[in-house]
């Protein structure tokens, strides 16, 4: 064999052996579309074995015909899983051939100081970095930002809320935004940081954010599930963790889905009392300290908080109550009008499509969700925003996509908040005699 040919073979072999190219032996995320009920049953079985992790839908009970399911398959199970799918004629394709490389990309962080780095908000951050950012933000903005400790997590990590308040007018109303209720949804805490930064940077410059901050206080909880979020940063294998880290009485399984733990139709639909399940609702409503802290805070402020927004990913959806029932909310038309306008503006400005509607109708029925609970508490403008994307990257949205995802969500938040002000504020006096 001639020297040039040897060099050519060596170079191409080295390319094939790089992570992401060896698609048959590396970890992968598969997109699988069952066509029959038999195939649904087989996929449900596969999704609970072989160390696989179901990305979408969240539980195998939601797997259905003609609907894509996204399944993470570790390298040591790839051959077996694909053989089962092929044997039963279940169509699938590789959605992500290099999830480990994408995870490493998400964890890479070259910027540390939010005051000096323009790319700070275009990176994902560890829990410790987020805590440091919370303290620095309050220190740098003492007149407008206050840190409130509303409780602590199962593992005794603090639950910090940032209160943004730009004036002391009497009878001020408020809005609430929480992020990071599900540990693996890293774009969610990134958005809370983005929102705070935008609010502080563009007050008196952007008309919508100025109007909102002049009229309302804003409470922002950047990480509602700090134990789970911390856990997803420990190793690549823990990246897909969803729940908190509470230990069940049986001791065999860990974690409760905090978005099934609120006291609204608890434990009835789309949840499980099996502590090993992803949608474990816990032993009783508000059993988890994280849920209880948020619920107690909102109960104390239910007369002032008019707008509740919880940030999730992924699927690009703007959701409002109800999720636990197909019944329509009392102000269904107002809620629909708001998310419709938000989706239209996102489409107009960013050319991206968001589905919108009540949760049970456009996603699936589930009980114990925070938005339904907030609505039942009396916060009549209550929403869940599912950020980018629709599955191209899923939970592994690259840092380069953070700005796009956050700007879309920011536009939705501002649209909804302004509409709430229009519907709730008394008309200004015209001072005529």
């Amino acid at each position: 064999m001639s020297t040039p040919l040897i060099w050519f073979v060596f170079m191409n072999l080295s390319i094939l052996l790089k992570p992401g190219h060896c698609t048959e032996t590396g970890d992968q995320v598969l997109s699988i579309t069952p066509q029959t009920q038999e195939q649904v049953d087989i996929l449900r079985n596969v999704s609970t074995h072989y160390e696989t992790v179901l990305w979408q839908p969240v539980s195998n009970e939601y797997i259905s015909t003609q609907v894509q399911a996204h399944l993470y398959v570790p390298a040591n199970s790839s051959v077996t899983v694909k053989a089962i799918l092929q044997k039963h004629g279940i169509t699938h394709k590789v959605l992500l051939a290099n999830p480990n490389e994408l995870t490493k990309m998400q964890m890479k962080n070259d910027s540390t100081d939010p005051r000096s780095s323009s790319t700070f908000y275009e990176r994902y951050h560890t829990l410790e970095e987020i805590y440091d950012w919370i303290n620095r933000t309050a220190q740098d903005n003492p007149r407008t930002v206050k840190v409130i400790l509303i409780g602590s997590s199962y593992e005794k990590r603090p639950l910090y809320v940032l209160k943004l308040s730009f004036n002391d007018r009497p009878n001020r109303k408020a809005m609430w935004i929480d992020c990071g209720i599900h540990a693996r949804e890293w774009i969610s805490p990134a958005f809370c940081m983005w929102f705070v930064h935008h609010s502080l940077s563009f007050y008196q410059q952007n008309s919508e954010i100025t109007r909102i901050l002049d009229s309302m206080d804003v409470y922002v909880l950047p990480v509602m599930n700090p134990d789970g979020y911390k856990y997803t940063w420990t190793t690549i294998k823990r990246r897909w963790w969803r729940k908190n880290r509470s230990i069940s009485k049986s001791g065999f399984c860990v974690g409760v889905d905090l978005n099934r733990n609120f006291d609204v139709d608890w434990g009835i639909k789309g949840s499980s009392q099996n502590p090993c399940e992803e949608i474990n609702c816990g032993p009783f409503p508000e059993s988890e300290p994280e849920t209880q802290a948020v619920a107690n805070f909102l109960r104390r402020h239910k007369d002032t908080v008019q707008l509740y927004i919880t940030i999730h990913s992924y699927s690009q959806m703007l959701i409002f109550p109800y999720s636990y029932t197909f019944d329509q909310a009392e102000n269904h038309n107002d809620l629909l009008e708001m998310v419709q306008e938000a989706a239209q503006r996102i489409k107009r400005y960013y050319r991206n499509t968001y589905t919108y509607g009540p949760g049970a109708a456009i996603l699936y029925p589930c009980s114990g969700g925070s938005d339904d609970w907030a609505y039942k508490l009396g916060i009549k403008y209550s929403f869940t925003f599912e950020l980018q994307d629709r599955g191209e990257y899923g939970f592994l949205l690259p840092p380069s996509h953070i700005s796009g995802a956050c700007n879309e969500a920011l536009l939705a938040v501002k649209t909804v908040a302004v509409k709430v002000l229009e519907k709730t504020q008394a008309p200004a006096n015209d001072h005529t005699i």
Side-chain angles (χ1 to χ4, degrees):
M1 186 181 291
S2 64
T3 300
L5 183 58
I6 293 172
W7 178 249
F8 174 81
V9 172
F10 174 78
M11 288 297 291
N12 281 275
L13 182 61
S14 66
I15 292 173
L16 288 172
L17 292 177
K18 284 184 178 180
H21 288 275
C22 192
T23 58
E24 289 301 313
T25 57
D27 295 0
Q28 295 181 341
V29 178
L30 304 182
S31 176
I32 306 168
T33 307
Q35 303 296 322
T36 66
Q37 187 57 46
E38 180 187 6
Q39 292 184 349
V40 167
D41 294 338
I42 292 165
L43 181 54
R44 285 176 176 170
N45 184 62
V46 167
S47 69
T48 57
H49 295 81
Y50 312 106
E51 299 179 62
T52 62
V53 179
L54 194 58
W55 278 20
Q56 195 176 88
V58 65
S59 172
N60 64 9
E61 71 178 76
Y62 298 126
I63 295 175
S64 58
T65 58
Q66 309 296 326
V67 177
Q68 279 189 20
H70 300 159
L71 185 69
Y72 169 81
V73 181
N76 58 3
S77 301
S78 180
V79 173
T80 303
V81 168
K82 289 182 178 179
I84 293 172
L85 297 177
Q86 185 174 3
K87 176 182 177 182
H88 295 279
I90 302 175
T91 59
H92 68 277
K93 65 178 181 180
V94 177
L95 199 62
L96 290 174
N98 56 344
N100 289 349
E101 292 302 309
L102 288 170
T103 300
K104 292 175 184 176
M105 184 190 304
Q106 284 189 319
M107 290 180 169
K108 184 179 179 181
N109 191 350
D110 298 326
S111 64
T112 56
D113 190 344
R115 295 170 296 186
S116 63
S117 173
S118 61
T119 62
F120 180 84
Y121 295 94
E122 296 178 14
R123 293 283 185 271
Y124 296 105
H125 294 280
T126 65
L127 182 66
E128 291 75 17
E129 289 169 347
I130 294 175
Y131 281 155
D132 182 63
W133 168 83
I134 289 171
N135 291 326
R136 290 189 186 201
T137 300
Q139 291 169 7
D140 292 347
N141 303 275
R143 297 181 61 184
T144 54
V145 180
K146 177 183 177 183
V147 179
I148 304 172
L149 177 65
I150 66 167
S152 59
S153 66
Y154 179 84
E155 295 178 341
K156 306 306 180 186
R157 293 186 175 89
L159 296 171
Y160 289 128
V161 167
L162 287 173
K163 180 184 180 182
L164 279 57
S165 187
F166 280 74
N167 64 61
D168 55 359
R169 294 174 188 169
N171 304 317
R172 281 172 62 78
K173 298 302 183 181
M175 63 182 287
W176 166 279
I177 303 175
D178 64 57
C179 296
I181 193 170
H182 290 142
R184 62 193 180 187
E185 298 169 9
W186 285 10
I187 189 61
S188 177
F191 172 76
C192 267
M193 298 172 71
W194 188 278
F195 176 85
V196 171
H197 177 64
H198 176 87
S199 298
L200 297 173
S201 300
F202 290 94
Y203 178 69
Q204 300 290 27
Q205 296 183 45
N206 177 273
S207 60
E208 286 183 317
I209 203 65
T210 301
R211 179 179 178 186
I212 293 165
L213 296 173
D214 277 344
S215 305
M216 309 172 85
D217 292 334
V218 183
Y219 298 105
V220 180
L221 173 56
V223 188
M224 184 176 165
N225 180 7
D227 299 345
Y229 186 76
K230 170 80 174 178
Y231 191 62
T232 61
W233 280 82
T234 56
T235 65
I236 286 177
K237 290 184 178 180
R238 307 305 182 196
R239 179 63 184 85
W240 323 127
W241 189 259
R242 168 183 169 91
K243 302 180 287 183
N244 76 347
R245 295 292 298 163
S246 65
I247 300 173
S248 65
K249 287 185 177 180
S250 68
F252 292 114
C253 291
V254 173
V256 168
D257 183 345
L258 299 177
N259 204 39
R260 300 294 189 276
N261 191 235
F262 283 84
D263 192 7
V264 55
D265 204 45
W266 176 86
I268 306 300
K269 304 181 188 73
S271 63
S272 170
Q273 294 186 42
N274 179 351
C276 300
E277 293 282 347
E278 292 280 27
I279 51 175
N280 173 31
C281 59
F284 54 87
E286 294 182 27
S287 61
E288 306 311 294
E290 300 90 344
T291 309
Q292 194 174 93
V294 170
N296 285 340
F297 182 88
L298 290 174
R299 275 191 284 260
R300 290 195 300 269
H301 295 82
K302 67 178 182 179
D303 294 332
T304 55
V305 176
Q306 293 183 314
L307 171 59
Y308 172 90
I309 300 175
T310 181
I311 304 295
H312 293 245
S313 73
Y314 60 97
S315 64
Q316 295 177 199
M317 291 184 172
L318 307 178
I319 299 168
F320 58 84
Y322 294 113
S323 291
Y324 77 90
T325 176
F326 286 99
D327 295 343
Q328 287 192 354
E330 181 182 345
N331 59 339
H332 172 91
N333 291 338
D334 284 347
L335 298 171
L336 180 61
E337 173 194 340
M338 291 176 177
V339 293
Q340 183 178 45
E341 181 173 334
Q344 289 172 345
R345 292 187 73 192
I346 291 172
K347 183 74 170 179
R348 186 184 316 132
Y349 288 105
Y350 298 108
R351 301 290 187 263
N352 218 347
T353 300
Y354 279 66
T355 307
Y356 54 87
I362 69 167
L363 199 51
Y364 40 70
C366 65
S367 303
S370 66
D371 57 351
D372 283 353
W373 177 86
Y375 186 87
K376 286 290 189 178
L377 182 66
I379 304 172
K380 294 304 181 183
Y381 300 98
S382 180
F383 302 91
T384 294
F385 290 172
E386 294 273 358
L387 274 54
Q388 288 188 18
D389 53 17
R390 290 184 178 273
E392 181 182 359
Y393 293 104
F395 300 120
L396 293 176
L397 198 69
S400 59
H401 290 238
I402 291 176
S403 61
C406 288
N407 278 326
E408 290 172 0
L410 178 66
L411 183 58
V413 169
K414 292 195 292 187
T415 301
V416 167
V418 168
K419 296 294 286 186
V420 169
L421 291 176
E422 291 174 357
K423 292 181 181 295
T424 58
Q425 282 190 332
N429 293 329
D430 59 10
H431 303 290
T432 57
I433 299 175

